[in-house]
Amino acid sequence: MSVRVISSIKEMHEFSNAVKSEKKKIGLVPTMGYLHEGHLSLVRASKKNADVTVVSIFVNPTQFAPSEDFDKYPRDFERDKRLLEKEEVDVIFYPLSDEIYPENFQTYVSVKDVTQILEGVFRPTHFEGVTTIVNILFNSVKPDIAFFGQKDAQQAAVIKQMVNDLKMDIEISVQPIVRESDGLAMSSRNIFLNESERKDALVLYNSLRYAEELIKRGERDKERIISEMKMIINSAVSAKLDYIDVVESNTFSLVDKIEEGKSYYFLIACRIGATRLIDNILLTV
Ligand code: AMP
């Protein structure tokens, strides 16, 4: 059966109200399209946990800085639609930019502290764009549960903070990172990598795996681990590191020390040629 595509907010509201009147649970998977197995893993989680699954596809201009790749970001709606049809998704929410951000648009949602570190340092306007669009998507689709990837671990932490602070009655489910067979985290942006960059891109995952190895061997000195990771990153000619850092997994705040019994995200952002990639690993010490 063909998947229903909804573009107008009014139609989205009507659909969601009808689903809710039947006491059915709506799952939302927000995406920017150009779908890969990472996105599809979120779709499958939604199919498992909700009665009706809505996948939104919207390349959100407000989360890109003027210098970033909004115009270049890959788009292929027909391909995405075919993939989602196969997954038996109920609705693709494919809103029009003019309806999301009409000329007189003036309301932005911003989260304070957790947006200021890591990605926030390199992309200072990014998270405000993310939280604003996620709010609009939540208000349009009215999900009971929304699915995000650990691939964007800081984004998931920011969304959880927002949902908690603004008392939104929405469950946030974070799903594990899906990787290529050699370990590269799947990303719509991987298509920009040429052959040699594709090989170089492995340094992100390799350095995260090395951090895991060091932790397993009993290393607890954060700076020493990071400096070993940096050596791996710097072994790739096309790699330029933005950051490697460590946050405690529950609070998502940066740490100086690695302590027994706690869990941490080791996070990397690195440019491979002109393509900026992020990756992370969750380690329990
Ligand atoms: P994007 O289309 O890049 O905005 O991503 C949409 C959602 O898919 C976000 O919640 C991402 O964290 C998630 N996602 C992207 N890549 C992966 C991946 N490799 N594994 C799991 N989830 C992912």
Side-chain angles (χ1 to χ4, degrees):
M1 212 184 74
S2 167
V3 60
R4 179 166 171 189
V5 180
I6 296 181
S7 282
S8 96
I9 308 275
K10 183 166 172 280
E11 191 183 340
M12 193 66 246
H13 282 161
E14 284 164 3
F15 175 86
S16 295
N17 290 342
V19 171
K20 284 185 177 291
S21 73
E22 292 173 31
K23 300 263 176 294
K24 286 186 180 161
K25 211 165 148 182
I26 301 176
L28 170 65
V29 180
T31 83
M32 297 205 297
Y34 213 74
L35 304 178
H36 50 65
E37 280 296 315
H39 297 112
L40 298 182
S41 73
L42 305 183
V43 170
R44 288 168 200 146
S46 176
K47 295 275 299 178
K48 217 177 181 180
N49 291 285
D51 303 307
V52 170
T53 291
V54 178
V55 177
S56 63
I57 299 180
F58 183 66
V59 185
N60 173 39
T62 62
Q63 71 190 66
F64 291 80
S67 61
E68 293 179 351
D69 57 354
F70 174 71
D71 289 330
K72 225 175 80 173
Y73 197 84
R75 296 160 168 89
D76 189 343
F77 181 73
E78 288 308 318
R79 178 178 165 275
D80 290 346
K81 191 172 164 218
R82 277 197 302 276
L83 290 171
L84 294 175
E85 238 149 28
K86 250 197 228 153
E87 300 296 326
E88 299 182 350
V89 158
D90 298 280
V91 167
I92 301 175
F93 181 44
Y94 188 51
L96 302 169
S97 201
D98 289 354
E99 211 187 352
I100 297 289
Y101 296 119
E103 238 168 59
N104 189 34
F105 187 87
Q106 32 188 314
T107 305
Y108 292 84
V109 178
S110 67
V111 174
K112 275 195 171 164
D113 299 344
V114 65
T115 60
Q116 300 306 302
I117 58 173
L118 304 165
E119 286 297 287
V121 174
F122 290 86
R123 306 182 75 189
T125 57
H126 172 67
F127 285 120
E128 186 176 81
V130 170
T131 42
T132 299
I133 189 64
V134 169
N135 257 277
I136 294 170
L137 294 172
F138 283 179
N139 288 331
S140 304
V141 177
K142 309 180 196 193
D144 298 280
I145 173 163
F147 296 84
F148 294 87
Q150 187 204 311
K151 164 83 184 350
D152 299 271
Q154 188 176 9
Q155 169 175 282
V158 169
I159 303 285
K160 279 186 181 168
Q161 186 72 42
M162 173 185 82
V163 163
N164 212 36
D165 288 348
L166 298 183
K167 329 296 179 219
M168 295 172 158
D169 188 12
I170 300 174
E171 184 188 337
I172 302 301
S173 171
V174 181
Q175 300 292 321
I177 301 176
V178 178
R179 300 180 178 281
E180 301 286 356
S181 55
D182 61 2
L184 178 67
M186 288 196 182
S187 162
S188 305
R189 288 187 171 99
N190 290 350
I191 190 177
F192 296 136
L193 301 169
N194 66 31
E195 211 180 309
S196 65
E197 289 169 345
R198 174 65 184 76
K199 284 186 193 132
D200 282 356
L202 276 181
V203 292
L204 279 89
Y205 184 57
N206 288 344
S207 65
L208 293 167
R209 286 294 302 274
Y210 195 56
E212 181 177 38
E213 180 64 36
L214 291 174
I215 292 280
K216 272 195 192 138
R217 281 197 230 147
E219 181 61 79
R220 298 290 179 264
D221 185 324
K222 176 193 147 184
E223 293 309 328
R224 211 174 297 154
I225 297 172
I226 289 180
S227 96
E228 297 278 348
M229 294 172 78
K230 280 185 179 163
M231 298 233 282
I232 295 176
I233 298 286
N234 292 332
S235 71
V237 257
S238 66
K240 287 218 162 52
L241 187 67
D242 275 355
Y243 62 78
I244 297 181
D245 221 324
V246 185
V247 299
E248 200 272 317
S249 68
N250 294 314
T251 59
F252 215 88
S253 41
L254 294 167
V255 295
D256 293 327
K257 281 199 190 114
I258 292 175
E259 295 171 47
E260 300 301 317
K262 291 193 172 178
S263 294
Y264 300 91
Y265 287 107
F266 284 67
L267 306 113
I268 298 182
C270 181
R271 282 162 292 139
I272 302 290
T275 308
R276 189 171 183 280
L277 300 178
I278 60 172
D279 200 351
N280 69 81
I281 195 167
L282 179 61
L283 298 176
T284 299
V285 179

